[in-house]
Amino acid sequence: MIAPAKPDLVTVNIDGKEIAVPKGTNVIEAARLVNVDVPHYCYHPKLSIVGNCRMCLIEMGMPAVDPSTKAAIMDPATGKQKINWIPRPQIGCGTNVSPGLHVKTLSPMVKDAREGVMEFLLINHPLDCPICDQAGECKLQEQATGYGRGYSRFIEQKNVKPKRTQLGPRVTLDDERCILCSRCIRFSKEIVKDDVLGFVDRGSYSTLTCYPGKKLENNYSLNTVDICPVGALTSSDFRFKMRVWFLKQTNAIDTESSVGANTVVWSREGVIYRITPRRNDDVNDTWLADSARVLFKAVKASDRLTAIKINGTDGALDVAVNAAAELFKSNSAPGAIAVVGSGRSSVEEQFLTRKLADALKASTQLVSRVGQGDQLLISADRNPNVRGALVTGLITALPFGELTGLGAQIDAGKVKVIVAINEDLAAAGLTSAQLTKVSVVYLGSHFNASSAAAKVVLPTLSPFEKSGTFVNQQFRIQKFFKAVPGPVGATDDLMVLAKLVTAAAGLTLPAEINALWKVIAAEVPALGTMAFANLPETGLLLDATPFAALPFAEGETLHYKPAQPAVAAATA
Amino acid sequence: MNLKPETLSKIDEVITHYPTKRSAMLPLLHLIQEDIGYLPEDTSEWIAAKLDLQPINVLEVITFYPMFRQKPIGRRHVKVCRTLSCALLGGYKTCAAFEKEFHTHLGEVSPDGEVTVDFVECLASCGTAPVVMIDDELHEKVDVAKAKQLSDQIRAEAKQR
Ligand code: SF4
Ligand code: FES
Ligand code: FES
């Protein structure tokens, strides 16, 4: 018998390789750790185990002991303890490791079992891969190639089942392709608690259905498309738009709220086609809200800012920066300039914003964006990076309500210039009368009342067109990367901010992110040991204790419990 | 849902027989079908509310069992066995005879509203094939002649009502 390495670890033997795995691990996950693939359909690491597809069949055995003396029975041929192999295959997903468990995944019995399961799964499958959107990321396709027998013996008629059913506004179902794994049903029931899917007419005609009169329309419905191992559930939006193998994958972060769900942005030749979740067991598991998946539509929106404007006329970047510098110079009285930073800017941008504010001796504020959390992956704070502004020192108190304080200062004639970074001052509570009393320098990606009123407009990039970091509600700093180039006429925010800092203080700061991080690491103690390139893909937790007393807006969400009860979302 | 008071009290009573309410689903479906003759469309929602479930959970069960009907049937239910022994000994002919007698087709309500003829699987009386079950009564060795005789009997009983 193999002795357990640690009390909570169990040593098992998979295809001759020994590995210690935590108690409660199933054979699929244990095998993954020794790079052995146990093909499966119905098993999903974040859902309950049902064991209904039978694809994960393995052969298993336990070390032999004498029933009466409990002494190990040795195999004279090998000199090792004999293994009693169970004469029938077992499912790997539903088998948890036990000390000394032996597993074969390559034996003839397993090969036969897999071929048999694949043959049955394909009997009624339409085999319409050439017109199926899942092709290229289909488990059935991959595992038919990897573990199937390669030809069909089925000469009868295939079942006919409903095609192109709209399960809800965003999900389309092809029942003929469904292999009845029930992942989508379990997801709806267990994760979103919206139990509307089920199998009716069980038997040869088992059909996945949404309860008549109901719709699969919760804000997480597209996760069923992600986890459907075949092309049965497809995204109505992405359907027939692009073959997945043509798409480039870029890691990114959901900017919808302070949860910071990890995402992958899929693009080709500068065009984004879809956004899917990226697994992070400490943040979003394998899920992503539907609303997070449409954010890329803003990239190609018609209200993008693409022309640098100085007093309403087009100009070059340096001319615009000089115009801003003039404004700064002629309003050098302390407090005459205010900087409105953004909780949607990256840590790097917020750092440069702080540098700019310091150089201008300007007051700084953030725009608060508080809504209802959904207790899953959308938190009450709809700014992705308020904590970044705290960490970089751009702000010391949480943004609250509208910019009424700033409005009063404008009315009192104190504030003459506002540098607004990707925030619409009108939407944040300043009246149009107040806006006419100040000169606005506007940096942002889209048109709004502030960009219309601004003296200087500096078009910048959307989050999909630049790289950076956000600090989420857990104080986890996470990286996102540029997926597509920005439109002609827009400049990287870091470049614009660095130029403004130079114009305001004569100080040169790098606009390239890796170089900038050297400066950040030197100046921001909390980030002192870090470099952009070295941040892990799943993020790094920062020390939250300096901010523990702040009344953050977030309530409980997946993998997040507020330190203190959330203050009621008083400010909508 | 328009259930008789006796059915309602039986339903409330039967729920107490099970440690988890969900387990009472099958008895409830039977009780409703006995009362109404079939399971009307709102059955899933009604039972779901009664047992703290979602309607889809009930619909899955209703559609699994052929014994649950989602449409009204005739006053008498003629169930003809079509499994091997009965099929070999003329079950299909028996069935056709019933269809002809009542001018109806499988699964439909006959024009006079008197019967619904259905095929069923083995009724566990293979030795006396072909067999037919009319409501809860088993009839053995039902050839075409006996099918006619049974049909006459059904019609005669109908007249007395
Ligand atoms: S639709 Fe997809 S996820 Fe749902 S049961 Fe069928 S194969 Fe599984
Ligand atoms: S993955 Fe094990 S039975 Fe489906
Ligand atoms: S085959 Fe008809 S009763 Fe068994």
Side-chain angles (χ1 to χ4, degrees):
Chain A
M1 188 102 129
I2 308 158
K6 272 194 215 159
D8 53 345
L9 287 185
V10 177
T11 303
V12 295
N13 183 307
I14 297 170
D15 289 340
K17 288 176 239 173
E18 235 151 62
I19 179 157
V21 298
K23 247 191 208 152
T25 311
N26 69 13
V27 169
I28 295 184
E29 294 297 338
R32 222 194 279 272
L33 296 172
V34 285
N35 288 325
V36 168
D37 178 36
V38 177
H40 56 269
Y41 296 109
C42 68
Y43 168 69
H44 186 283
K46 301 292 174 190
L47 299 175
S48 64
I49 290 175
V50 288
N52 63 16
C53 75
R54 319 309 285 182
M55 189 62 200
C56 64
L57 290 168
I58 44 120
E59 197 173 344
M60 71 181 229
M62 292 301 284
V65 288
D66 187 297
S68 52
T69 62
K70 304 275 178 253
I73 301 176
M74 304 308 281
D75 182 351
T78 59
K80 289 202 194 126
Q81 191 171 4
K82 211 179 136 201
I83 304 299
N84 281 337
W85 292 98
I86 300 176
R88 295 262 169 274
Q90 310 293 317
I91 50 170
C93 64
T95 306
N96 281 354
V97 291
S98 52
L101 177 78
H102 277 59
V103 171
K104 288 193 217 166
T105 74
L106 300 168
S107 64
M109 188 211 277
V110 175
K111 185 169 180 283
D112 268 4
R114 288 174 181 170
E115 285 180 0
V117 170
M118 275 313 308
E119 186 169 24
F120 272 115
L121 284 176
L122 293 177
I123 274 184
N124 277 311
H125 193 81
L127 300 177
D128 57 349
C129 309
I131 55 152
C132 176
D133 250 321
Q134 190 82 355
E137 54 179 4
C138 177
K139 284 282 164 212
L140 196 69
Q141 202 178 41
E142 287 163 20
Q143 287 169 183
T145 313
Y147 307 104
R149 59 162 38 87
Y151 60 92
S152 172
R153 296 181 289 180
F154 187 73
I155 49 167
E156 291 81 359
Q157 290 280 311
K158 292 193 184 232
N159 273 351
V160 174
K161 288 192 196 173
K163 304 287 259 186
R164 291 178 294 277
T165 311
Q166 287 301 322
L167 284 187
R170 293 173 292 278
V171 180
T172 307
L173 164 68
D174 181 320
D175 259 308
E176 288 182 352
R177 294 181 187 150
C178 172
I179 58 163
L180 307 170
C181 72
S182 83
R183 276 181 173 190
C184 54
I185 301 176
R186 281 174 283 148
F187 172 81
S188 305
K189 180 175 181 165
E190 295 164 14
I191 308 292
V192 220
K193 320 258 182 285
D194 184 23
D195 195 6
V196 292
L197 298 182
F199 293 132
V200 294
D201 301 332
R202 271 175 192 269
S204 315
Y205 292 93
S206 296
T207 303
L208 177 75
T209 298
C210 191
Y211 185 77
K214 292 201 180 191
K215 284 196 182 102
L216 178 67
E217 57 185 349
N218 63 66
N219 192 28
Y220 291 85
S221 66
L222 282 168
N223 290 280
T224 61
V225 173
D226 300 332
I227 57 175
C228 178
V230 298
L233 296 174
T234 49
S235 153
S236 308
D237 180 42
F238 179 64
R239 221 164 114 86
F240 304 140
K241 294 270 167 67
M242 185 53 69
R243 282 308 195 181
V244 290
W245 54 82
F246 290 134
L247 295 174
K248 178 184 82 171
Q249 300 175 41
T250 310
N251 287 356
I253 300 294
D254 174 21
T255 54
E256 218 178 0
S257 78
S258 60
V259 166
N262 293 204
T263 61
V264 177
V265 176
W266 302 67
S267 64
R268 183 189 187 191
E269 292 176 359
V271 180
I272 300 175
Y273 286 88
R274 67 170 180 181
I275 300 176
T276 57
R278 174 164 52 96
R279 181 168 174 178
N280 185 335
D281 290 346
D282 296 317
V283 180
N284 55 306
D285 286 347
T286 50
W287 319 126
L288 184 65
D290 291 2
S291 45
R293 303 171 193 241
V294 292
L295 297 180
F296 73 89
K297 309 253 167 176
V299 169
K300 288 263 177 270
S302 55
D303 60 347
R304 279 300 294 263
L305 292 175
T306 50
I308 299 169
K309 298 259 185 203
I310 306 124
N311 291 322
T313 46
D314 290 10
L317 178 59
D318 287 331
V319 182
V321 171
N322 285 341
E326 284 307 315
L327 277 176
F328 297 157
K329 229 174 269 158
S330 50
N331 291 284
S332 54
I337 306 177
V339 170
V340 178
S342 176
R344 299 188 290 192
S345 296
S346 68
V347 168
E348 299 74 19
E349 290 157 16
Q350 290 170 340
F351 175 78
L352 287 182
T353 307
R354 197 200 92 197
K355 286 300 215 185
L356 179 65
D358 287 354
L360 298 173
K361 302 196 177 43
S363 65
T364 55
Q365 39 259 302
L366 235 55
V367 173
S368 138
R369 228 173 236 108
V370 175
Q372 275 291 324
D374 70 355
Q375 300 179 342
L376 204 50
L377 289 178
I378 297 176
S379 65
D381 188 350
R382 298 303 164 79
N383 275 323
N385 198 25
V386 167
R387 285 168 178 73
L390 290 169
V391 170
T392 51
L394 176 60
I395 51 168
T396 48
L398 290 176
F400 186 78
E402 300 194 317
L403 297 175
T404 39
L406 184 59
Q409 285 178 321
I410 297 172
D411 290 335
K414 278 184 72 187
V415 170
K416 303 278 193 209
V417 176
I418 298 182
V419 183
I421 297 158
N422 235 339
E423 291 290 2
D424 181 9
L425 302 169
L430 296 191
T431 62
S432 51
Q434 285 165 340
L435 276 181
T436 55
K437 288 187 207 156
V438 288
S439 304
V440 176
V441 175
Y442 186 78
L443 282 71
S445 52
H446 289 74
F447 178 87
N448 56 35
S450 304
S451 72
K455 291 272 179 312
V456 179
V457 178
L458 294 154
T460 55
L461 301 178
S462 79
F464 298 98
E465 297 154 348
K466 59 195 181 189
S467 300
T469 53
F470 290 132
V471 180
N472 83 349
Q473 56 183 352
Q474 309 160 317
F475 276 92
R476 177 183 301 274
I477 185 165
Q478 307 192 99
K479 286 198 275 199
F480 61 93
F481 293 93
K482 171 178 178 170
V484 293
V488 176
T491 316
D492 191 319
D493 305 59
L494 295 180
M495 174 67 85
V496 177
L497 286 164
K499 278 186 186 280
L500 285 176
V501 173
T502 310
L507 175 75
T508 320
L509 287 172
E512 193 277 323
I513 191 158
N514 289 293
L516 179 59
W517 258 85
K518 295 210 175 78
V519 183
I520 296 177
E523 293 195 21
V524 181
L527 308 175
T529 54
M530 298 167 205
F532 182 71
N534 295 348
L535 285 175
E537 286 300 333
T538 50
L540 210 59
L541 272 185
L542 305 177
D543 179 16
T545 42
F547 311 103
L550 293 178
F552 290 110
E554 289 93 347
E556 190 171 340
T557 57
L558 190 67
H559 297 301
Y560 178 79
K561 269 204 172 64
Q564 52 205 20
V567 287
T571 54
Chain B
M1 195 86 98
N2 215 346
L3 294 172
K4 300 190 184 90
E6 310 90 86
T7 313
L8 285 171
S9 63
K10 271 191 213 153
I11 283 176
D12 287 331
E13 203 264 337
V14 87
I15 293 176
T16 64
H17 292 198
Y18 299 91
T20 48
K21 277 189 176 181
R22 185 186 186 121
S23 314
M25 196 191 304
L26 274 181
L28 257 56
L29 288 168
H30 281 299
L31 284 168
I32 295 173
Q33 182 160 297
E34 269 162 35
D35 183 324
I36 304 185
Y38 71 108
L39 297 173
E41 220 176 298
D42 53 351
T43 307
S44 299
E45 262 147 82
W46 194 87
I47 294 190
K50 199 90 191 156
L51 303 181
D52 298 332
L53 297 168
Q54 290 301 312
I56 185 74
N57 310 139
V58 185
L59 187 66
E60 286 184 319
V61 175
I62 295 180
T63 58
F64 175 70
Y65 292 103
M67 67 203 177
F68 289 131
R69 298 182 292 270
Q70 292 177 272
K71 287 211 180 80
I73 56 163
R75 274 184 284 276
R76 314 288 299 268
H77 196 189
V78 180
K79 292 166 275 191
V80 185
C81 175
R82 67 159 167 204
T83 308
L84 197 59
S85 312
C86 294
L88 285 173
L89 287 172
Y92 279 72
K93 277 189 207 135
T94 306
C95 186
F98 278 113
E99 287 178 288
K100 209 174 135 214
E101 283 295 316
F102 290 97
H103 312 287
T104 185
H105 297 285
L106 269 187
E108 290 173 7
V109 181
S110 61
D112 57 1
E114 207 50 50
V115 300
T116 291
V117 183
D118 267 328
F119 267 137
V120 294
E121 304 308 330
C122 182
L123 291 170
S125 182
C126 317
T128 56
V131 299
V132 173
M133 207 162 167
I134 299 178
D135 293 335
D136 291 332
E137 205 177 317
L138 185 73
H139 302 270
E140 296 164 306
K141 299 199 178 158
V142 187
D143 52 13
V144 173
K146 187 151 179 207
K148 282 202 177 114
Q149 184 197 324
L150 286 168
S151 304
D152 290 340
Q153 201 178 322
I154 291 173
R155 279 189 290 261
E157 282 164 20
K159 266 201 201 106
Q160 284 164 25
R161 252 199 317 269

